[in-house]
Amino acid sequence: MQEQTGGLVRPDVTASDAVLIAQELWGIAVTASELGSNQDRNFLLTEPGGARSVLRIDNPAFPDSARDAQHAALDAYRSAGVPVPAALPGGDGALTQRWRGFAVRRSAFAEGEAMVDAGYFAPVVLREFGSLAAASVNALAALEHPGLDRPQMWDMRVAADEARNLLPSIADPVLRDRVAPVIAEAERLLGGVAAELPVQPIHGDLTDDNVMGVRGADSRLHPRTVLDLGDLALGWRVAELAVCASSMLHHEPERPLRVLETIAAFHAEAPLSEAEARAVWPLIALRAALLVASGWRQLEIDGDNEYARERIAGEQAIFDAATAVPLAEAVEQVLAALGFPSSAAQAPAPQASVAQASDGQGIAPLAPLLPELAGEVVVLDPGTESEALASGAWLAADAEDALIRAALVTGAMAAVMPYGVYRLTRTTIDTAHAAATWPIGTAIHLPAGPAAAVASPVSGTILAWADGTLRIVSADGRRCEIRGVRPSRPDGGEVAQGELIGQVPESTGRRTLVVTVLAGGAEAPAGAADDAPLVEPDRVPAWRRLSSDPAAILGLPSRSQSDEAADELTRRSRIFASAQERYYERPPQIERGWRHHLVDITGRAYVDMVNNVTGLGHGHPGVADAVDRQIRILNTNSRFLYRELAEYSERLLALLPEDPSGGRGEPLDTVLLVNSGSEAVDLALRLAQAATGRKTVVSLREAYHGWTMASDAVTTSAYDNPDALATRPEWVHVADVPNRFRGTYRGEGTGTRYAADLGADLDRLSAEDRPVAAFICESVLGNAGGVMLPDGYLAEAYARVRAAGGLCIADEVQVGFGRMGSSFWGFEQSGVLPDIITIAKPMGNGYPIGGVITSKRVADALAAQGQFFSSAGGNPLSCRVGLAVLDAMAEEGLQENARIVGARLAGGFRALAARHALIGPVHGEGLYLGVELVRDRESMEPAAAEAAAICERLRELGVIVQTTSERSNVLKIKPPLCLTARSADVVVAAVDRVLTEGW
């Protein structure tokens, strides 16, 4: 066979030939099917008993010495614990056999699944690939063999020449013109470090295509077995990482910087030198260019190679991702992630302007740039915690303009948008990707007026004025760019700090100067003419190195921000108890909320699907105004007489439905206010015991009711306390939970059977001289994920409890207050009226309010145990907040919104269930829903690990969801009641994407 320049034609061997080879050389009868390869022939052999192995017919271009080196490498891998398939000797004991002039080998079949087409890779999987690449170089480091020193096109030391030679094969001229400069730039960057890069034996093609994966408990594919040592040779050690990392890119090409996970994991186990760190991304880009060029060449010389044809799109995606970020920036990203110094010149900014002038007086703000400016300079705050952007003002299209206008209208002579402040004004909602929020320069806005002198804030050489930008290069190589100035100095001239260089032109409208300070060679991304360029949060680590805060040369205070989430997590870990929960492996630092969105410190917005506490939505102005007004007037305790307590209590009572028994029961006419749901449940239990003179309380299995001693006593969820059922106090009896999906009785028509079992429990308790005082139950099984009670259950259960002399407590803390949509209270879904109602979470929209509603007779029974009092419960402030919440719910139609949007959500999830087998039942009503994830719909095996992993992936896509239920396999859907149809659709689409692409 003739070798072709820049590629190899595969051996002309068919599946029928493979069957003959297996019989003749290994003495086994098989069937054969071809596996893909660019330059060899691979076949899957299957014996009659089902045993499988792989037959490889090597390209004649490779010598025996290369094969022998591969066999030695397999031994080295096994010795180091790196899983590899065993080489199977032929009948004569040799690993390499001969058939019609071809070198033929057979190896054990590696169990698992191919990873190349696995879709999305989670951070943990990206890290595992990095660890595997590190294990590879560590295992091969000491290997010596003459067959390792061989020329081949995939040796990254010659990749630039190989890729350049293959450029003519790229038939698409646009693509060819994109690939060529990438080769040149990568070659230039590598030229500065190539001499320092260690050389050793490497696999050379340790990619997702050459690693078999195994399913973990989370149903993710995790890399395990290393395959195909056909490219084994001497090479740059760091190339092993670069080749591996490049293959990660197509698994989510729109977010290429995620591959930093792979790079960091490699570095942790096979530490890179600084030179190697600088080489990583140029090698990734060069590998991508070579993949594209060689793919086109392979089709040119071997047009029938379907494997190569199928790989073209993936190789193109790798190239697009590798070059989505400029190479210089990507290099800085790697250096920052690994803790190496910047490759860019980072000399300190000139300090004279921010210290003291020669006369000892402080320099006025902006004086180094605008020496004639007289008047106030306002540094604006467009950040995530800005008070000026309350009540959703940041969502307005002219939000930044409004900040600037407000400053200038009140007399400021300049309004400054500072460098490095994550701008809430650029945050976008209902999107899967973070917006560009971090400015790499300072924008200075001036009112209309006459021309104003502009001085140079640095010393240096003036470059050519172009695109309305004046550029001054300092001696250290940094470049100060000033946009919006009309220059008065010639190009190429030297200028000293403070010398005049031009003017801000006269104008009848607002004028803007944009000042950026860039490292030598850095090119700022494109931006608006009247603002600084902005970058996405994940690009900030590089741009913090490639740019400097102009505040130091403008006489301004620095306001630059960084993402402090990791530091804040460490800080919290020092003071938190291990029992205190938090969301997410790497939680974002949430600093703002508005309606049904949360915003982290970087300006990334998330759809909030878990905060049922803020029923109205975050940052509600009506609640904020109520707090502000009342706390300025009066806040005392409920032993004093004031209007708000009775007014709020009357409003709550007015929300109760009519007694379905026709008034035969006692009217619910008394309200006792406390601080939380746990307190409300605790008080409800005391009331029931006092009113009945009994102690026994019946609670359902898998229930959650709170954290006080009493409310925790009736909490039976093993998720919250694995020993819950075995550690309940003597006065608590646990009854069966009427879950028609997972309980003792399943399906429709089970309500009566569950109620009958409860009745039997009550009879048994009475016979044991433990008569029931109260039966407590969530009106909808919230802790189970919004599971609706079986038809008729609650009505019959209440009747049996009352017949036994007990009281019925409805825990409405989670499911009440309009969340059901079709009813205000959860118990209305069952057509009953309890004797005691506990409420809390949404009552104060985040302000701590809880309450108990009952009859006067039951409430008065507490007097036998002493006086009732709560320091904050029912105080003027909490009551005023509660009233504001009720007003807003009515004015904004939130219960109706819960009904409409909840139905839309539930319908969307049920439609997904038709396409994704992982989705089981969709529970709930209104905006209290639960999407149960199961591995098998018949057995209902919980997909708990998958659910947790899916929540992590949804967070990456801008959706905050968490799990619930005893098995932690239900996605709990309980957002603020203001959730919009648009956001609901975004959530459904995100879940669909995760279930399609992986988690």
Side-chain angles (χ1 to χ4, degrees):
M1 186 201 70
Q2 182 178 0
E3 183 175 348
Q4 305 291 325
T5 302
L8 296 170
V9 177
R10 295 169 299 163
D12 186 12
V13 176
T14 66
S16 297
D17 294 332
V19 172
L20 291 175
I21 293 170
Q23 181 64 57
E24 292 177 12
L25 300 179
W26 278 273
I28 56 174
V30 299
T31 57
S33 58
E34 186 165 5
L35 303 172
S37 176
N38 262 339
Q39 56 198 18
D40 304 304
R41 290 280 186 180
N42 296 318
F43 296 91
L44 175 64
L45 307 180
T46 304
E47 299 176 50
R52 294 183 292 178
S53 57
V54 175
L55 183 71
R56 179 187 181 100
I57 294 87
D58 287 327
N59 197 294
F62 304 123
D64 282 340
S65 60
R67 281 180 280 277
D68 293 340
Q70 292 166 23
H71 299 152
L74 289 172
D75 292 338
Y77 276 142
R78 277 189 288 271
S79 295
V82 177
V84 288
L88 303 176
D92 60 1
L95 295 179
T96 300
Q97 300 290 310
R98 297 286 171 182
W99 187 82
R100 297 182 186 177
F102 292 112
V104 181
R105 291 179 289 171
R106 177 170 164 251
S107 62
F109 179 78
E111 296 295 337
E113 299 176 50
M115 299 200 68
V116 65
D117 297 320
Y120 166 84
F121 280 172
V124 63
V125 176
L126 295 174
R127 293 193 293 270
E128 288 168 347
F129 265 103
S131 295
L132 186 59
S136 175
V137 297
N138 289 339
L140 299 178
L143 181 65
E144 295 182 359
H145 195 284
L148 294 169
D149 191 6
R150 64 187 180 92
Q152 53 128 342
M153 67 174 289
W154 296 106
D155 184 344
M156 295 305 295
R157 295 174 292 179
V158 298
D161 289 337
E162 291 286 348
R164 193 178 294 110
N165 291 337
L166 293 172
L167 279 174
S169 297
I170 302 178
D172 181 345
V174 175
L175 177 59
R176 186 168 60 246
D177 289 345
R178 288 181 57 209
V179 172
V182 170
I183 297 170
E185 177 66 2
E187 187 176 36
R188 183 186 69 80
L189 291 171
L190 288 169
V193 296
E196 303 175 59
L197 302 180
V199 174
Q200 69 156 73
I202 61 172
H203 181 288
D205 197 19
L206 206 161
T207 67
D208 58 349
D209 207 12
N210 284 325
V211 175
M212 292 297 281
V214 294
R215 294 282 171 186
D218 52 10
S219 291
R220 292 172 174 142
L221 269 181
H222 296 268
R224 179 170 175 80
T225 306
V226 175
L227 307 177
D228 192 355
L229 274 65
D231 292 322
L232 176 80
L234 293 177
W236 283 326
R237 188 184 80 125
V238 69
E240 191 85 295
L241 168 61
V243 168
C244 178
S246 67
S247 74
M248 303 294 100
L249 291 172
H250 71 101
H251 291 276
E252 194 175 20
E254 64 267 34
R255 295 176 60 206
L257 295 178
R258 295 180 68 247
V259 79
L260 291 171
E261 300 272 6
T262 304
I263 297 168
F266 181 98
H267 180 62
E269 299 181 34
L272 297 166
S273 68
E274 185 174 332
E276 288 178 301
R278 294 178 191 278
V280 171
W281 209 281
L283 285 170
I284 288 174
L286 192 54
R287 167 75 175 191
L290 183 57
L291 283 172
V292 170
S294 67
W296 283 82
R297 173 59 176 163
Q298 197 66 38
L299 291 180
E300 191 176 54
I301 64 173
D302 191 7
D304 294 333
N305 191 335
E306 288 303 317
Y307 173 84
R309 190 175 303 281
E310 291 170 1
R311 290 293 177 263
I312 284 286
E315 291 161 351
Q316 176 75 58
I318 289 172
F319 178 80
D320 291 343
T323 57
V325 174
L327 268 179
E329 178 183 338
V331 169
E332 289 301 330
Q333 288 282 8
V334 174
L335 295 174
L338 303 186
F340 288 111
S342 173
S343 61
Q346 284 290 295
Q351 294 297 308
S353 60
V354 292
Q356 295 286 317
S358 57
D359 60 1
Q361 299 297 312
I363 298 296
L366 295 182
L369 180 69
L370 299 168
E372 299 174 358
L373 185 70
E376 183 184 13
V377 174
V378 176
V379 179
L380 302 171
D381 182 6
T384 53
E385 298 179 73
S386 173
E387 293 183 14
L389 297 173
S391 301
W394 52 277
L395 284 169
D398 65 344
E400 289 181 7
D401 186 66
L403 291 177
I404 298 164
R405 196 166 56 243
L408 298 182
V409 165
T410 55
M413 295 309 296
V416 178
M417 282 286 192
Y419 165 98
V421 172
Y422 292 104
R423 292 191 192 174
L424 180 64
T425 47
R426 296 303 178 97
T427 294
T428 54
I429 61 173
D430 294 333
T431 60
H433 304 290
T437 56
W438 201 82
I440 65 171
T442 297
I444 303 160
H445 302 277
L446 307 173
V454 176
S456 176
V458 297
S459 297
T461 303
I462 299 177
L463 296 183
W465 182 72
D467 304 322
T469 302
L470 183 66
R471 296 172 174 84
I472 305 168
V473 179
S474 301
D476 57 34
R478 293 190 317 153
R479 190 170 71 253
C480 177
E481 297 188 350
I482 308 172
R483 192 162 68 242
V485 61
R486 184 167 58 203
S488 60
R489 299 289 295 266
D491 297 344
E494 296 295 318
V495 62
Q497 183 180 11
E499 287 189 42
L500 297 182
I501 54 174
Q503 290 183 321
V504 181
E506 176 184 9
S507 176
T508 57
R510 196 167 74 208
R511 299 162 292 172
T512 302
L513 292 174
V514 179
V515 181
T516 55
V517 180
L518 302 174
E523 292 295 332
D530 60 349
D531 201 358
L534 292 99
V535 296
E536 294 81 1
D538 64 348
R539 297 177 66 183
V540 171
W543 279 103
R544 192 179 297 284
R545 292 162 164 246
L546 294 172
S547 65
S548 299
D549 189 349
I553 60 172
L554 298 177
L556 296 171
S558 177
R559 302 287 174 81
S560 181
Q561 297 175 321
S562 60
D563 184 353
E564 302 167 346
D567 292 338
E568 192 62 33
L569 180 58
T570 300
R571 180 183 175 199
R572 180 180 285 198
S573 298
R574 285 197 300 265
I575 59 174
F576 254 41
S578 59
Q580 289 177 280
E581 293 182 274
R582 66 169 171 84
Y583 293 150
Y584 299 115
E585 295 172 7
R586 297 179 183 176
Q589 184 176 332
I590 303 299
E591 295 294 349
R592 197 176 201 105
W594 171 243
R595 292 178 60 79
H596 56 285
H597 288 96
L598 295 170
V599 183
D600 70 21
I601 194 172
T602 71
R604 173 66 160 117
Y606 306 86
V607 183
D608 179 5
M609 298 301 287
V610 300
N611 260 303
N612 59 334
V613 175
T614 48
L616 305 182
H618 301 282
H620 195 281
V623 174
D625 291 347
V627 171
D628 184 64
R629 177 182 180 276
Q630 188 61 47
I631 206 164
R632 294 173 187 275
I633 297 173
L634 172 68
N635 198 26
T636 183
N637 65 71
S638 60
R639 288 176 290 197
F640 287 91
L641 183 65
Y642 45 84
R643 181 188 314 111
E644 288 80 9
L645 179 56
E647 184 177 350
Y648 183 46
S649 298
E650 288 171 353
R651 288 280 296 275
L652 289 174
L653 293 173
L655 293 166
L656 294 173
E658 293 185 3
D659 185 349
S661 69
R664 292 189 298 274
E666 293 179 305
L668 301 183
D669 54 9
T670 304
V671 178
L672 300 93
L673 295 173
V674 289
N675 302 332
S676 68
S678 293
E679 280 191 315
V681 170
D682 195 298
L683 177 57
L685 297 175
R686 286 187 60 193
L687 287 170
Q689 290 174 333
T692 61
R694 300 171 175 180
K695 290 294 184 183
T696 303
V697 175
V698 175
S699 177
L700 296 180
R701 183 167 48 82
E702 301 185 10
Y704 175 81
H705 294 290
W707 270 105
T708 64
M709 288 289 286
S711 61
D712 181 64
V714 294
T715 291
T716 59
S717 169
Y719 174 77
D720 296 283
N721 177 1
D723 297 322
L725 295 180
T727 57
R728 294 309 84 196
E730 181 273 336
W731 56 270
V732 174
H733 174 77
V734 180
D736 195 11
V737 59
N739 186 329
R740 57 194 175 91
F741 298 95
R742 290 192 170 276
T744 304
Y745 312 115
R746 303 189 179 187
E748 300 301 324
T750 58
T752 298
R753 299 173 73 185
Y754 278 115
D757 285 355
L758 174 64
D761 285 355
L762 296 173
D763 291 342
R764 189 162 52 253
L765 288 170
S766 180
E768 296 170 357
D769 200 22
R770 297 171 59 208
V772 63
F775 167 66
I776 185 168
C777 172
E778 283 189 290
S779 308
V780 173
L781 300 177
N783 196 59
V787 176
M788 304 299 288
L789 295 172
D791 289 345
Y793 169 78
L794 201 57
E796 191 170 342
Y798 276 16
R800 289 178 179 273
V801 170
R802 285 166 175 159
L807 297 174
C808 300
I809 303 173
D811 185 347
E812 294 275 327
V813 170
Q814 290 205 85
V815 301
F817 247 68
R819 185 158 290 279
M820 292 291 101
S822 57
S823 64
F824 190 85
W825 303 100
F827 57 76
E828 291 182 86
Q829 299 288 319
S830 296
V832 299
L833 188 68
D835 303 304
I836 305 173
I837 303 168
T838 62
I839 46 179
K841 292 184 186 298
M843 294 175 72
N845 204 53
Y847 189 89
I849 307 176
V852 174
I853 301 175
T854 187
S855 65
K856 187 170 181 58
R857 179 189 69 81
V858 170
D860 284 348
L862 193 61
Q865 299 181 8
Q867 298 297 310
F868 168 75
F869 167 69
S870 175
S871 295
N875 66 27
L877 179 56
S878 63
C879 289
R880 186 53 61 190
V881 168
L883 287 164
V885 169
L886 294 179
D887 289 343
M889 288 187 69
E891 292 165 5
E892 298 170 22
L894 295 184
Q895 182 180 330
E896 177 66 2
N897 188 69
R899 184 185 69 82
I900 295 172
V901 178
R904 185 185 188 99
L905 261 179
F909 290 134
R910 290 185 177 114
L912 293 186
R915 301 199 300 276
H916 301 292
L918 195 68
I919 296 180
V922 177
H923 305 299
E925 180 84 9
L927 284 177
Y928 203 111
L929 302 174
V931 180
E932 185 152 5
L933 303 182
V934 296
R935 292 173 178 169
D936 180 86
R937 289 179 181 174
E938 290 298 318
S939 68
M940 292 288 285
E941 180 186 358
E946 294 91 332
I950 286 167
C951 289
E952 295 285 346
R953 171 72 167 133
L954 286 170
R955 179 195 60 77
E956 292 183 6
L957 297 177
V959 177
I960 299 291
V961 173
Q962 286 295 309
T963 62
T964 189
S965 92
E966 193 84 345
R967 292 148 289 277
S968 198
N969 70 313
V970 180
L971 304 181
K972 56 183 172 185
I973 308 296
K974 47 178 188 174
L977 302 184
C978 56
L979 184 76
T980 61
R982 173 186 170 185
S983 294
D985 292 347
V986 166
V987 171
V988 172
V991 173
D992 187 22
R993 177 176 175 179
V994 173
L995 295 180
T996 300
E997 295 179 356
W999 52 85

